[in-house]
Amino acid sequence: MSDVLEPEAWLARFARDADAAGFRVAEFGRVGGAPLLAAERRPAKPLMHIYLSAGIHGDEPAGTLALGALMERRWFDGAIAWHVLPLLNPSGMAAGTRESREGIDLNRDYLAAADPGTRAHRAWLRAEGWRYDLTLALHEDWESRGFYLYELGDNAGRCFGPEIVRDVEAVIAIDRAAQIDGYPASDGQVFPPEDNPEIRDRWPEQLYLREHHTRLALTLETPSAFPLAERIAAHIRAVDAVMRLARESQGA
Ligand SMILES: [Zn+2]
């Protein structure tokens, strides 16, 4: 498997799999030749509303491939309302670059919205006024020595981080450094300071979602230096763990 996926063909296949799994696939924007896709499925009385996104950095294919694999195997729980946005930066993925083809780090663009893709994404979120119980963003990190995560907000006072790490450890190493990305960290969980100068004016997707659309925002990071299959398996294991915890927190 190549580390760089060909976005248009991949997205066409994702859309077919989503359709077969009963999702409605909407195109909320177009960047270069590739669509920005959101797959949606909502039961009449959903237990929760969950959002999953990946591929906002074009050099991080594992999250996108994990969401594609989950869609293909029809993993998504029928009691829950879902939005799945598998590839937020198709131009970056085509080129294998972190940034979009405009040279913008989309995951620092949610306040300024300088990139047309970010503007389209924000407009889509705002138009429907989506409110999520939980948003998950799947990422990768070239410098990390294992899996780690960020947790922003809470689910009725409950933190998911430690239990996710415990589950993921079965399939991949955990980065247990005391500092990750320049922030204090412990047992695979990163704790950025409240007033974070790195992102004060350069909001990541999850900060924007936490501010406007979700109660709990989780960012999952796999180590890019590890084999791709292991990173995909780690994302799938983490998403599985989150689902189990989310259902437990609903008493379901
Ligand atoms: Zn990333």
Side-chain angles (χ1 to χ4, degrees):
M1 207 176 327
S2 160
D3 255 32
V4 179
L5 38 103
E6 201 288 294
E8 280 175 76
W10 190 89
L11 285 164
R13 180 171 160 201
F14 174 84
R16 280 196 302 276
D17 288 342
D19 187 60
F23 280 74
R24 197 175 60 83
V25 180
E27 181 179 319
F28 62 87
R30 191 159 264 277
V31 182
L36 297 169
L37 297 186
E40 175 186 341
R41 198 178 68 192
R42 266 190 293 182
K45 289 200 175 84
L47 194 61
M48 283 175 272
H49 198 171
I50 297 181
Y51 165 107
L52 290 151
S53 76
I56 197 168
H57 289 137
D59 57 350
E60 301 175 5
T64 294
L65 293 168
L67 293 183
L70 290 170
M71 192 56 86
E72 194 183 353
R73 69 171 77 153
R74 303 189 187 182
W75 169 88
F76 295 91
D77 188 325
I80 290 164
W82 297 100
H83 276 123
V84 185
L85 287 69
L87 182 49
L88 288 173
N89 182 7
S91 66
M93 193 65 75
T97 59
R98 176 181 175 90
E99 293 80 12
S100 68
R101 66 174 190 166
E102 274 75 19
I104 293 169
D105 183 340
L106 301 184
N107 207 35
R108 296 290 181 273
D109 191 38
Y110 277 78
L111 194 58
D115 191 277
T118 314
R119 284 199 293 280
H121 186 199
R122 286 198 346 179
W124 175 79
L125 286 161
R126 209 169 34 228
E128 302 286 350
W130 300 119
R131 294 294 309 173
Y132 299 104
D133 298 290
L134 176 58
T135 58
L136 276 159
L138 279 50
H139 281 259
E140 304 211 73
D141 183 340
W142 286 99
E143 289 165 349
S144 74
R145 285 170 286 174
F147 174 91
Y148 66 91
L149 60 85
Y150 296 86
E151 184 166 8
L152 201 58
D154 64 59
N155 192 314
R158 185 169 177 198
C159 287
F160 289 174
E163 288 181 71
I164 297 169
V165 167
R166 209 170 304 145
D167 270 26
V168 172
E169 192 160 27
V171 293
I172 205 164
I174 305 299
D175 190 337
R176 289 210 153 78
Q179 252 206 356
I180 297 176
D181 249 3
Y183 304 128
S186 153
D187 279 327
Q189 258 197 284
V190 187
F191 304 100
E194 197 79 1
D195 184 27
N196 184 344
E198 150 74 1
I199 60 169
R200 192 179 295 136
D201 305 310
R202 302 172 72 234
W203 285 18
E205 175 198 16
Q206 286 284 46
L207 192 57
Y208 183 82
L209 290 170
R210 175 70 186 113
E211 193 70 17
H212 298 291
H213 297 281
T214 189
R215 290 194 289 134
L216 174 62
L218 284 161
T219 302
L220 312 174
E221 302 268 1
T222 51
S224 304
F226 285 46
L228 183 59
E230 237 175 87
R231 287 140 55 199
I232 295 169
H235 274 302
I236 290 174
R237 181 61 74 99
V239 173
D240 257 335
V242 172
M243 267 314 303
R244 178 174 56 75
L245 296 165
R247 289 210 67 144
E248 280 172 19
S249 76
Q250 300 281 321

